[in-house]
Amino acid sequence: MRAILTLCWGNIRKRKLQNALIALLIALSALLVSTAFTVLMNTENVFEERHTAAQGAHEIINMTRGLHDERMVADWWSTQEGVTASSLIPYKPWTGLVYNGEELPNLYLYMIDTPPMPHGVNHPLPGAGPSQLTVPEAGTVWVPTSLAYKYGMEIGDELVFTAGAAPVQFTIGAIVIDLSHGGPFTTTARIWMNEADYLSTMGGLSTPEQYLVSLRYAHPEQSGDYWQRFEQALGSPFLEERVSFAELSAFYFIMNKVIGFVMSFLGLVMIAVALLTIGFTITDTILSNYRTIGILKSIGMTSERIIVTYMLQYGLMTVIALIPALIGSRLLSDIIIQNSLSFLKSEAAPVSVQALGVAIWTGIGMLIIILLCVILYAAKTRHIEPIQAIRYGMSESSHTHAHRHGTGTRLLDRWSVPAVIGWKHVTGNKKGAALIFLLMSITAAVLVFGTLLVTSVYRISETSAQWGYDDADIAIMVINADGMDRTEMQSYIEKDPRVLSLNWSGSAIGVVAQADGTQPTFSLPLTVVEGSMDEMGLASLSGRNPVLPNEITIGVNIARKLNKDIGDAVTIYIEGKPHQLLITGTFQSISNMSNIARITSDLVGEINPDAGFVQLRNQADSDEFVRQLNQRYSPVIQALKQEVLLDSVFKEAAAVLLIPMSMLALLFLAVTCLIVYSTCRLHIRKETKTYGIYASLGLTASDIRRALTSGIAGLAALGTLVGIVCGIYALPAVLRGLLSAYGIVKLPLVMEWPLAIGLTLIALAIAVSGCWLASRALDRTSLRVLVTDS
């Protein structure tokens, strides 16, 4: 055992730089993998905790059209064994909210007549304010964290609601976690009101009352059976809106799934790099100590004991590297989770990160993988024959091969001496060169992909149509439909010479009945357009937008669900009437996971527009035209530029992505610099006498350093080009597979080329500087003296 420990310590002491580099690679791979798994696991755990605490809904019924007796619907579900149904919650839709003197854009409000808590299912949870919720006090409202945290609202702040005949002012009495309507990127918020305030404020509105019922199943997989029985009792398909659990929960998970994917993918790549480096190092160690191993075998040390020496060495290094890495992963995952799940935080129940189990299993898994790799490479010592090792310092076959004369190097006779030095520096250290090439490719891919991802979200207004939004220059949000003279407004806008087109959009609910009747119906949100979808800028992935009354385009997830394609027919109930419609196209939409369809206004009795969309002849007129519309028609409408609407939703996504992507970029830049430095330094030490010969021929140390650096620069540049291609094509392709379930099958990407090229040039400069720094030893050494040193 003493001999094993002595050999182990000797290997660690002799190769300090290589061992430190391997430990760093192990630490970084553990950091990335542990962080990714911690983020993914905690995202689901935190949501499940809140969902359980709130008696969260598995489905929500939203009755907005009066097509069924809402009391009968609520009573039927409340009597079902295995189903918990909420009380019938009345509300009225509202738009127009002013906070701190500014009207908040792109916001649809459900003004809730709050029943006494608890009301069965889907309770709001305390976020800030009272620790126990009963009903809002008179003159106060409860607002969701999705609204309060986004705009910095606090308890006691004043809110002004402007959609009625006169503005109404309320105080924030509580900030609540509203799981079903308060997720990331939502434009809908439920405002919980006192009953007396609701009646006095909402009672005068002509808008009909609408109702919500939340359902929680003891066995969610049996929901289809319940719906079949419900529709049999109803005597017809259910014609109102149903929202599934997948739709309720999807956007709590999407950002962390993207972050987790990127980090786990790169962590696994880093593990592969670490294993390759370990393999290279063990192989080099065996070759450089070939005669020593032969002597040890000749005096009785077995191959198994030699293998155990390497296992002990790398096992110890792994344990030392894992401890700070796993502690760091706890801190990094906490930062990511606190940012991405901020809407689930409360004063009484902060978002806690459970990372110990993930860290332990990650550490054990890493240790096992590394030890298996060590066994694989160290097993080469089994083939060492003591006699050959002592005589040749290598195997006899390798000795014979090494002493053959070749003519391959004659091709270098025509090159300049610096070019030969640079070429030899790369080809003479093939394993190190392969490692540098691989890392430069990975680093460039990370930088380009990170830039691509963040800028695509940040500049989503340039590709809005491909994400499922309109591409109009100006959106007119209808705040008070009762006070709006749409005919007069349309005439005023269309007469303006700056206007190219004006189209209106509303919403409806369709219901799809399966043809064979064996499956329950499902509700299908509909975008109803009065005018031209092409003029609005609504895009299709394939096919075209509907033009005729019997045409429809459907989201890609609906197409999958129905197994339908362009040219097929589908029967949809709209306002209680069946329509057989021809599918003319498919599209993708991130806002509702592509679970939506588009129809023309001919299929509904009367469109109640939610918004108008204006295309201008010159986009530069947008600011002035928005100002004029708001001056003339406010507070009946709110006119906004398209990018303002999109920024209100997606700026937070860009901010959440920015932190982890920036940290990944810095990590890979640092690792690349260290690996280039250590690899070049080790090779330069081995070849110092050769460089002494070049110095005796008249080359200065600076000439040799420049030659060495130019060789690494060429290798790094080649790796950078490969990485750029991977960052643009390979990584987005993998991410597209992840987002496919969310209804995005074609990523609309925007490349910020100056930024991406600038970052890759920085990576290239860092790699080159690593080689230049490693060659400083040549300036401090008299190379001519080394020629005579034996």
Side-chain angles (χ1 to χ4, degrees):
M1 186 63 187
R2 183 177 179 181
I4 292 175
L5 291 174
T6 302
L7 288 172
C8 175
W9 174 247
N11 286 337
I12 293 175
R13 185 169 49 84
K14 287 179 183 178
R15 296 174 175 266
K16 297 186 188 72
L17 191 61
Q18 275 184 303
N19 291 331
L21 177 62
I22 290 170
L24 178 63
L25 290 172
I26 293 170
L28 288 177
S29 58
L31 173 69
L32 293 175
V33 172
S34 180
T35 300
F37 290 162
T38 300
V39 167
L40 294 173
M41 184 190 74
N42 279 272
T43 299
E44 295 191 11
N45 287 350
V46 171
F47 181 82
E48 285 297 327
E49 287 176 8
R50 298 294 190 267
H51 195 258
T52 301
Q55 284 292 293
H58 293 126
E59 278 187 322
I60 290 181
I61 298 173
N62 190 9
M63 291 175 280
T64 62
R65 308 291 172 175
L67 300 176
H68 299 287
D69 182 348
E70 61 275 356
R71 180 59 59 185
M72 176 267 175
V73 172
D75 289 344
W76 190 92
W77 284 103
S78 65
T79 60
Q80 299 305 300
E81 185 177 350
V83 180
T84 306
S86 72
S87 57
L88 192 65
I89 299 179
Y91 74 94
K92 286 195 176 183
W94 188 287
T95 50
L97 174 61
V98 175
Y99 175 67
N100 282 342
E102 294 186 8
E103 190 156 13
L104 305 184
N106 200 21
L107 194 58
Y108 298 90
L109 305 176
Y110 289 176
M111 310 301 288
I112 304 291
D113 183 3
T114 309
M117 298 292 163
H119 56 257
V121 178
N122 211 29
H123 312 135
L125 298 174
S131 57
Q132 295 291 330
L133 299 175
T134 54
V135 291
E137 296 180 0
T140 69
V141 293
W142 300 343
V143 298
T145 53
S146 58
L147 184 61
Y149 294 168
K150 185 175 181 179
Y151 294 103
M153 298 176 182
E154 297 180 355
I155 302 296
D157 287 352
E158 300 292 335
L159 301 177
V160 180
F161 299 88
T162 59
V168 182
Q169 184 171 300
F170 288 98
T171 302
I172 298 177
I175 296 173
V176 299
I177 300 171
D178 189 353
L179 286 177
S180 60
H181 292 76
F185 320 125
T186 184
T187 58
T188 301
R190 294 200 288 187
I191 306 296
W192 303 80
M193 304 180 69
N194 177 277
E195 183 179 12
D197 292 334
Y198 176 85
L199 292 175
S200 63
T201 306
M202 300 289 117
L205 296 180
S206 61
T207 309
E209 206 157 45
Q210 301 176 9
Y211 299 90
L212 291 168
V213 176
S214 300
L215 306 178
R216 183 178 176 85
Y217 299 101
H219 303 284
E221 67 278 3
Q222 297 177 0
S223 63
D225 297 332
Y226 285 105
W227 276 95
Q228 282 185 299
R229 294 201 299 269
F230 171 61
E231 292 185 334
Q232 289 172 1
L234 198 62
S236 72
F238 181 71
L239 302 173
E240 298 277 13
E241 182 181 10
R242 285 170 55 194
V243 184
S244 68
F245 177 77
E247 294 172 88
L248 295 172
S249 60
F251 290 103
Y252 286 101
F253 300 147
I254 185 171
M255 287 307 301
N256 282 353
K257 281 192 175 182
V258 171
I259 294 169
F261 151 73
V262 174
M263 298 190 79
S264 59
F265 178 80
L266 296 177
L268 293 174
V269 171
M270 189 67 80
I271 290 174
V273 172
L275 295 177
L276 287 173
T277 306
I278 290 171
F280 295 161
T281 305
I282 292 175
T283 302
D284 285 342
T285 304
I286 291 172
L287 293 175
S288 60
N289 294 294
Y290 208 90
R291 181 174 281 112
T292 303
I293 295 172
I295 294 171
L296 291 173
K297 279 193 166 187
S298 68
I299 61 176
M301 180 172 277
T302 64
S303 297
E304 285 72 20
R305 286 192 171 190
I306 297 173
I307 293 172
V308 169
T309 301
Y310 288 106
M311 291 180 64
L312 183 61
Q313 173 190 346
Y314 287 99
L316 179 62
M317 288 168 49
T318 301
V319 171
I320 293 173
L322 286 176
I323 293 173
L326 297 179
I327 294 173
S329 76
R330 168 66 174 79
L331 300 175
L332 179 57
S333 57
D334 185 67
I335 293 172
I336 295 172
I337 290 168
Q338 295 297 336
N339 276 276
S340 59
L341 298 182
S342 60
F343 294 164
L344 297 179
K345 290 192 293 187
S346 71
E347 292 177 349
V351 172
S352 59
V353 178
Q354 305 297 324
L356 182 60
V358 173
I360 291 173
W361 285 110
T362 301
I364 292 173
M366 290 281 293
L367 183 60
I368 292 173
I369 290 171
I370 288 168
L371 290 179
L372 289 175
C373 176
V374 171
I375 292 172
L376 177 66
Y377 281 95
K380 295 177 180 179
T381 58
R382 295 180 187 275
H383 307 296
I384 295 178
E385 297 292 338
I387 296 176
Q388 293 179 9
I390 295 170
R391 181 177 181 182
Y392 300 118
M394 61 184 73
S395 67
E396 187 173 1
S397 61
S398 298
H399 180 267
T400 303
H401 179 75
H403 287 79
R404 288 177 182 169
H405 294 285
T407 58
T409 55
R410 294 176 183 175
L411 296 175
L412 301 180
D413 292 344
R414 300 177 183 178
W415 292 14
S416 65
V417 173
V420 171
I421 293 173
W423 173 258
K424 288 286 189 179
H425 183 52
V426 174
T427 59
N429 184 22
K430 293 184 175 64
K431 295 175 182 177
L435 186 60
I436 292 172
F437 176 84
L438 179 62
L439 263 179
M440 280 304 302
S441 299
I442 296 169
T443 301
V446 170
L447 294 173
V448 171
F449 176 67
T451 303
L452 192 63
L453 189 60
V454 174
T455 55
S456 295
V457 176
Y458 189 79
R459 294 169 55 185
I460 197 170
S461 59
E462 298 178 19
T463 57
S464 58
Q466 298 170 56
W467 290 94
Y469 297 95
D470 66 275
D471 193 28
D473 296 320
I474 296 171
I476 302 171
M477 314 305 296
V478 179
I479 295 175
N480 183 1
D482 293 339
M484 182 179 72
D485 185 346
R486 188 153 72 100
T487 304
E488 187 277 331
M489 184 186 299
Q490 182 147 344
S491 175
Y492 171 79
I493 293 173
E494 290 179 340
K495 287 180 181 178
D496 193 301
R498 295 169 294 183
V499 174
L500 184 64
S501 65
L502 169 64
N503 298 278
W504 297 92
S505 173
S507 60
I509 296 297
V511 174
V512 179
Q514 303 287 7
D516 56 9
T518 59
Q519 298 294 325
T521 61
F522 66 89
S523 64
L524 176 60
L526 300 172
T527 297
V528 184
V529 175
E530 182 182 275
S532 170
M533 296 184 194
D534 294 332
E535 290 179 355
M536 282 175 58
L538 296 177
S540 297
L541 279 179
S542 58
R544 60 172 177 83
N545 286 316
V547 177
L548 301 176
N550 67 329
E551 295 178 340
I552 187 172
T553 55
I554 58 177
V556 292
N557 271 345
I558 297 299
R560 290 172 183 162
K561 192 171 185 176
L562 295 175
N563 194 25
K564 298 285 187 179
D565 206 344
I566 297 172
D568 293 336
V570 60
T571 300
I572 298 180
Y573 289 83
I574 303 173
E575 297 179 340
K577 299 177 182 178
H579 298 270
Q580 190 171 41
L581 304 177
L582 178 69
I583 299 173
T584 62
T586 60
F587 63 92
Q588 61 183 18
S589 175
I590 187 66
S591 62
N592 39 44
M593 299 174 63
S594 297
N595 291 308
I596 195 170
R598 297 167 181 164
I599 60 173
T600 65
S601 59
D602 302 291
L603 291 171
V604 299
E606 181 180 356
I607 183 174
N608 295 311
D610 300 317
F613 298 92
V614 179
Q615 291 282 18
L616 299 178
R617 299 182 188 279
N618 187 348
Q619 196 175 19
D621 296 327
S622 296
D623 290 321
E624 178 62 22
F625 197 69
V626 164
R627 186 185 62 80
Q628 291 178 2
L629 287 176
N630 284 328
Q631 282 182 346
R632 184 179 179 93
Y633 295 107
S634 182
V636 174
I637 60 100
Q638 181 187 24
L640 296 163
K641 292 171 64 177
Q642 180 221 39
E643 53 263 38
V644 174
L645 292 173
L646 293 172
D647 287 350
S648 68
V649 177
F650 288 100
K651 277 290 178 69
E652 63 184 90
V656 169
L657 281 172
L658 190 60
I659 293 175
M661 295 309 300
S662 299
M663 296 187 74
L664 284 174
L666 292 173
L667 284 174
F668 274 88
L669 288 173
V671 170
T672 301
C673 182
L674 288 171
I675 287 181
V676 172
Y677 175 82
S678 62
T679 303
C680 292
R681 185 178 174 185
L682 289 169
H683 187 66
I684 288 170
R685 282 182 175 179
K686 288 181 181 179
E687 301 294 331
T688 303
K689 290 184 180 180
T690 303
Y691 301 141
I693 295 172
Y694 287 123
S696 68
L697 297 176
L699 291 179
T700 66
S702 296
D703 293 334
I704 297 173
R705 291 181 68 189
R706 282 193 290 270
L708 296 175
T709 304
S710 65
I712 294 299
L715 177 66
L718 185 61
T720 299
L721 292 175
V722 173
I724 290 173
V725 174
C726 291
I728 294 175
Y729 297 105
L731 289 180
V734 179
L735 180 61
R736 186 167 58 247
L738 176 70
L739 293 179
S740 177
Y742 291 89
I744 297 297
V745 296
K746 182 179 180 181
L747 280 179
L749 299 175
V750 176
M751 173 56 80
E752 188 74 41
W753 280 110
L755 179 59
I757 292 174
L759 288 173
T760 52
L761 288 176
I762 290 173
L764 185 59
I766 286 174
V768 171
S769 65
C771 180
W772 181 257
L773 291 173
S775 65
R776 284 187 305 173
L778 299 177
D779 278 337
R780 299 192 294 264
T781 305
S782 177
L783 299 178
R784 290 185 178 88
V785 172
L786 295 173
V787 179
T788 60
D789 187 21
S790 60

